[in-house]
Amino acid sequence: MSIRIGDVAPNFKAKTSIGEIDFYEFLGDSWGVIFSHPADYTPVCTTELGRTASLKGEFEKRNVKVIALSVDSVESHKSWINDINETQDTSVEFPIIADEDKKVADLYDMIHPNASETMTVRSLFVISPDKKVKLMIVYPASTGRNFTEVLRVIDSLQLTAKYSVATPADWKDGEDVIVMNSIKTEDIDAKFPKGHKVIKPYLRTTPQPNK
């Protein structure tokens, strides 16, 4: 199946490195990140999982639960985690799904046949507390993900979910944001009392409202 932004993220039950889970129950009321890996004991994946583990505090600060996926077994995952912890100087505590039958990979369209018939590409989905898909990023198997960008986008998603704003190119948390065009210029001050700038009638900026 094909998943698009705004779709409800499919639920599933699966074996993982921390035991069996129901995906929705695992997420609870949190935001979620689910991301796939072509296989265990692969070098790029080892660095990615290590980096994710080292960012545990950053994900927790944003109320985000992380779960990874690989098509290998639970036993393989547990052994691989030891390697990740050793080589990346970290401690992997989030679950890794053992998707041996590729059920979850198929649900989330993680296998792209023209890239590989058997391995997942590096798919990453951000899921909101109402279980909607808010972001999809897909990398080829050869390219490691940029987790600074993942956190940046989560900041933007959480901000724009609460306020009538958008974030401009290269925006980082704390910088000015764009006022949505659905708000009339004469109504901006009432909604955003920190002030605003009118660059063009369709391009108005204001300081980040939650800072």
Side-chain angles (χ1 to χ4, degrees), residues 80-129:
W80 183 32
I81 286 170
N82 291 332
D83 281 3
I84 296 166
N85 292 344
E86 175 192 346
T87 61
Q88 307 303 304
D89 191 26
T90 191
S91 178
V92 173
E93 298 176 7
F94 56 84
I96 304 176
I97 297 165
D99 195 32
E100 292 179 274
D101 59 4
K102 302 181 180 62
K103 173 185 169 185
V104 181
D106 286 338
L107 267 180
Y108 281 80
D109 197 25
M110 293 171 170
I111 294 177
H112 295 194
N114 289 331
S116 170
E117 292 284 353
T118 57
M119 295 196 306
T120 63
V121 291
R122 295 185 195 285
S123 299
L124 182 145
F125 299 85
V126 174
I127 298 166
S128 58

Side-chain angles (χ1 to χ4, degrees), residues 1 23 27-28 61 74-75 79-80 83-84 93 97 106 124 165 176 181 198 204:
M1 65 178 291
F23 185 48
L27 291 179
K61 184 168 69 177
V74 168
E75 293 72 22
S79 180
W80 183 32
D83 281 3
I84 296 166
E93 298 176 7
I97 297 165
D106 286 338
L124 182 145
V165 298
D176 286 0
N181 285 333
V198 178
R204 294 89 45 89

